[in-house]
Amino acid sequence: MRSRHRLFTSGSEDAGMAMTQLATLDLRPGDEVVLPSFGGEEAADAVAAAGGVPVFADIDPVSFCLSPAAAEAALTSRTVGVLALHVFGHPADMVSLEELCQRRGVRLAESERPLSAVLSPDVVLRRRSAEYLASRLRGVLPPVVRPGVDHTFERFVVRVPGNGRPDRDAFRNALRARGVDCFVPVGTPAHRLPAHRAAGVRLPETDRAAAECLALPLQAAMSRRELNRVAAACNRLGGLLYEPAC
């Protein structure tokens, strides 16, 4: 069985390092690497640049990370590896992915998430702020943390209920007008970009997440007053999303 190999730095943010490490795998033309489309644009670019073929699999709707079941369904005789990305600070299900890769005889790679980041004072403060903010939100769906998982909350990403992208974008614009610095964390999944678009690829959870997700401001130094202001703005707007569409 091929060994596990770490490919990316924290959050897969260093594409140059990813390119270097992918090169050590000596990918041959046609070798496939299964990875998530959601937040996976740079990773897919690196796989393609190293000579491999990125194959996209759907995500777990709770963690936004690669679904082990979807990854297994995407494996073929040409697959040499599975690449898991830890998204927004929520780690991928590495236990299930490890079992899958051992059973199927392919490599498992992951974006690196240093232990020091999990234990840092800033992360502890962000977790407390995230718990506080989530407990006060009523108009949006706050992030859910899988049991036994250490979420670092690099992004506090909510789902905006309603009619998908139009309602999410309207909600974002209304929040910005009220001084809340929010943004769409993944505008277009990698499988819908021209460089990686492939016929027949259907990733419903990925598309739904891209249409509904919105990142709210969350920093370790934010006061309760600032967090309450964000929650109040969301809650005032949230009721509008439940009105029937015309």
Side-chain angles (χ1 to χ4, degrees):
M1 191 199 79
R2 299 187 182 188
S3 63
R4 177 170 166 177
H5 191 87
R6 290 184 182 271
L7 298 185
F8 292 84
T9 57
S10 177
S12 68
E13 62 191 9
D14 189 340
M17 179 65 73
M19 288 279 295
T20 301
Q21 294 178 337
L22 272 169
T24 68
L25 296 181
D26 193 26
L27 292 176
R28 299 178 295 273
D31 283 350
E32 295 179 352
V33 178
V34 175
L35 73 162
S37 171
F38 189 73
E41 178 183 357
E42 289 187 359
D45 288 345
V47 169
V53 177
V55 175
F56 299 110
D58 216 348
I59 59 170
D60 168 47
V62 172
S63 69
F64 301 113
C65 298
L66 181 64
S67 160
E72 181 163 21
L75 297 179
T76 72
S77 60
R78 298 179 296 277
T79 304
V80 300
V82 172
L83 171 58
L85 302 180
H86 306 303
V87 182
F88 307 142
H90 194 300
D93 184 354
M94 299 307 296
V95 173
S96 296
L97 291 171
E98 182 85 57
E99 185 278 329
L100 165 64
C101 291
Q102 288 182 350
R103 176 163 45 83
R104 298 294 295 270
V106 298
R107 293 175 179 148
L108 174 61
E110 65 176 307
S111 58
E112 188 175 359
R113 205 165 60 94
L115 183 61
S116 60
V118 177
L119 301 178
S120 72
D122 276 357
V123 169
V124 173
L125 290 173
R126 279 205 305 270
R127 285 177 180 164
R128 291 175 182 170
S129 295
E131 291 175 1
Y132 182 85
L133 180 57
S135 71
R136 278 152 177 77
L137 287 171
R138 299 292 180 268
V140 295
L141 305 178
V144 177
V145 182
R146 288 289 189 192
V149 165
D150 290 321
H151 199 319
T152 60
F153 287 100
E154 295 169 20
R155 297 283 185 268
F156 186 90
V157 177
V158 301
R159 287 182 183 265
V160 179
N163 192 33
R165 193 177 299 269
D167 282 346
R168 189 273 314 278
D169 289 350
F171 190 84
R172 174 201 59 193
N173 294 340
L175 280 181
R176 286 180 174 175
R178 288 161 172 78
V180 177
D181 186 18
C182 57
F183 64 94
V184 174
V186 177
T188 305
H191 76 287
R192 294 197 173 277
L193 294 171
H196 301 296
R197 189 177 295 136
V201 176
R202 184 174 178 273
L203 307 175
E205 293 297 345
T206 295
D207 287 332
R208 187 164 71 93
E212 295 179 349
C213 283
L214 187 68
L216 300 181
L218 182 76
Q219 298 176 3
M222 288 180 73
S223 66
R224 291 291 174 91
R225 181 177 181 180
E226 291 171 318
L227 295 169
N228 283 331
R229 178 173 169 270
V230 172
C234 290
N235 295 346
R236 282 194 296 270
L237 293 169
L240 300 176
L241 299 171
Y242 294 98
E243 295 180 355
C246 297

